[in-house]
Amino acid sequence: MEKIPMSAPDLDETDIQEVLEVLRSGRLALGPKAREFEEMMANYIGVKYAVAVSSGTAGLHILVRALGIGPGDEVLVPSFTFAASVNVILYERAVPVFVDIEPETYNLDPDDLERKITKKTKAIMAVDIFGHPAEWDKILEIADKYNLKVIDDSCEALGAEYKGKKIGQFGDCACFAFYPNKQMTTGEGGIIVTNNSEIAKIARSLRNQGRGEMGSWLEHERLGYNYRMDEMSAALGVSQLKRIETFLEKREKVAKMYTEKLKNYSWVRVPTVKPYVRMSWFVYVITLEDGLDRDIVIRELEKEGIPARGYFSPIHLQPYIRDMFGTKEGMLPVTENISKRTLALPFHNNLKEEEVDEVVSTLKKVVEKVKS
């Protein structure tokens, strides 16, 4: 039994009341709460348009379609990410081209990004990993040089900033996600943000079975999907977004406690945060020293009631990707090395210092046992 949960949403009575208000109204879909949530999010990020959707994956898929990415087009994407970043490319029969990562932040390496560009390259899917912004100046310079579209998979990075600008303002478009382990939650859900009116228009149509904004209910302009956000989720989003800065401060506090208590151990590296970014702390991921078996550490922690996860397994080495593209070990040396050593510790807004102490002391005990 877990002594400390791996993650937990930060819910209060105002969240409950917002959702109850929608239930009592009887308007459960295509209503005013989704529009309110979109307007609030666009204002928070600092963009013109926001389109609420049923998940971050749905949002990313819509953006791939909206940018006209299709069969045979190559999309540069990190392998060190969640599978959805790659799956949405495959949904449109485009080709993911895997980019290695920087050894410090674990975001995609701009130098390797440029090396992987070919005549078939159409777009870059950058990921702000764990809430740390990617190197946006370099990425956008490369995109401009080669005339490439840019999607920011910012699903892990709500509230993060790069050189004073909020994540969500970079590239052609971006998408956030609100699963219960994220900075804020709508249960399930996501939101597309962009300054491009055409992308926003296509996104609204694609999420709603391809209907046009001015057409009748049963008139469909294009092939679309049921990717709408329901009113209960949107109501929760409205309530949660009002407290997002408090949530981010709480997460920063927990992350600092972990870093302070772990920084002097030789067998671990704490997360790197560049001085010109604001990290929004999706998860707290440490890196174990080379040669220390991460999977044994996870099993031993679980025996002690402390959950932990390996973040992330490389997508290019997943069985379905190997089968489709013949990808092999050795293609992305930094990704492959780091992915064997990263360990996500229990992390959420309201983790207490005594719980952090217990996680750290148990981790220390387990590592000493594994090393002996």
Side-chain angles (χ1 to χ4, degrees):
M1 183 177 176
E2 293 180 355
K3 298 177 187 176
I4 300 168
M6 188 71 197
S7 63
D10 193 340
L11 302 172
D12 70 7
E13 190 59 33
T14 61
D15 298 323
I16 295 166
Q17 289 305 316
E18 279 277 4
V19 175
L20 283 175
E21 186 180 313
V22 167
L23 290 170
R24 290 188 180 110
S25 77
R27 183 72 181 269
L28 307 185
L30 292 170
K33 279 297 171 186
R35 290 192 294 273
E36 182 182 358
F37 183 45
E38 289 171 342
E39 187 174 327
M40 286 177 65
M41 188 60 74
N43 288 337
Y44 177 70
I45 299 300
V47 294
K48 293 179 182 177
Y49 310 103
V51 182
V53 289
S54 55
S55 69
T57 306
L60 291 173
H61 183 201
I62 284 173
L63 291 178
V64 170
R65 282 284 306 275
L67 292 180
I69 297 164
D73 291 334
E74 292 181 352
V75 181
L76 299 164
V77 62
S79 175
F80 192 75
T81 183
F82 185 58
S85 308
V86 176
N87 290 348
V88 298
I89 299 166
L90 298 176
Y91 293 163
E92 296 305 312
R93 292 177 292 163
V95 180
V97 175
F98 295 105
V99 178
D100 214 346
I101 55 174
E102 298 175 323
E104 284 189 300
T105 66
Y106 307 158
N107 279 307
L108 59 78
D109 177 354
D111 292 333
D112 194 46
L113 180 78
E114 188 162 17
R115 284 193 292 268
K116 299 283 175 65
I117 293 171
T118 73
K119 291 180 180 178
K120 294 181 180 179
T121 306
K122 185 158 186 177
I124 298 166
M125 172 89 74
V127 182
D128 303 299
I129 206 77
F130 305 149
H132 191 294
E135 281 295 342
W136 281 107
D137 283 354
K138 293 179 182 177
I139 292 167
L140 295 177
E141 183 182 328
I142 292 167
D144 185 59
K145 180 178 176 181
Y146 295 94
N147 193 28
L148 303 176
K149 300 293 186 182
V150 180
I151 299 172
D152 181 8
D153 177 350
S154 51
C155 289
E156 301 177 6
L158 182 67
E161 297 177 8
Y162 178 80
K163 297 185 178 179
K165 286 179 65 177
K166 274 203 172 62
I167 291 302
Q169 296 185 36
F170 298 92
D172 295 275
C173 45
C175 184
F176 298 99
F178 308 117
Y179 192 72
N181 64 347
K182 295 295 200 300
Q183 291 87 351
M184 57 163 275
T185 188
T186 60
E188 292 276 7
I191 202 161
I192 290 164
V193 295
T194 183
N195 282 314
N196 185 306
S197 61
E198 188 65 16
I199 291 174
K201 178 184 173 183
I202 293 170
R204 290 191 193 101
S205 175
L206 289 174
R207 73 170 173 183
N208 194 25
Q209 301 288 13
R211 295 180 176 96
E213 291 184 85
M214 305 305 292
S216 67
W217 182 246
L218 293 179
E219 184 177 307
H220 303 266
E221 293 183 355
R222 55 179 61 82
L223 174 66
Y225 309 93
N226 182 0
Y227 280 171
R228 299 182 299 265
M229 176 180 280
D230 66 83
E231 284 287 278
M232 291 80 72
S233 296
L236 182 55
V238 166
S239 182
Q240 290 262 299
L241 187 54
K242 290 174 182 174
R243 311 202 303 284
I244 185 61
E245 287 303 315
T246 299
F247 292 165
L248 295 174
E249 288 166 10
K250 286 181 172 183
R251 295 176 94 82
E252 175 81 13
K253 181 180 177 183
V254 175
K256 282 183 175 177
M257 283 194 290
Y258 266 129
T259 295
E260 189 61 34
K261 295 171 193 297
L262 285 166
K263 67 180 183 181
N264 294 322
Y265 293 123
S266 61
W267 41 265
V268 66
R269 193 171 85 207
V270 297
T272 296
V273 182
K274 295 289 187 178
Y276 46 83
V277 309
R278 181 194 193 188
M279 185 162 177
S280 61
W281 297 103
F282 161 48
V283 284
Y284 189 88
V285 175
I286 58 172
T287 308
L288 299 176
E289 70 177 355
D290 240 333
L292 189 56
D293 194 316
R294 187 267 314 276
D295 295 335
I296 293 176
V297 171
I298 290 174
R299 288 198 295 271
E300 291 297 321
L301 282 170
E302 286 175 347
K303 288 178 187 176
E304 299 284 342
I306 304 296
R309 304 282 186 273
Y311 262 77
F312 283 106
S313 296
I315 304 302
H316 75 285
L317 298 180
Q318 300 289 337
Y320 75 113
I321 297 295
R322 286 179 186 250
D323 290 344
M324 292 175 78
F325 298 105
T327 46
K328 299 174 183 176
E329 290 187 31
M331 289 177 56
L332 302 172
V334 181
T335 296
E336 291 168 28
N337 177 273
I338 293 299
S339 66
K340 293 174 184 173
R341 298 160 52 203
T342 44
L343 185 69
L345 300 176
F347 186 75
H348 57 83
N349 294 10
N350 297 310
L351 203 63
K352 298 180 178 65
E353 185 165 12
E354 54 266 33
E355 292 175 313
V356 173
D357 285 335
E358 183 166 6
V359 172
V360 172
S361 63
T362 306
L363 177 63
K364 180 175 180 289
K365 181 175 76 172
V366 163
V367 167
E368 287 171 353
K369 178 183 176 181
V370 172
K371 285 167 70 78
S372 64

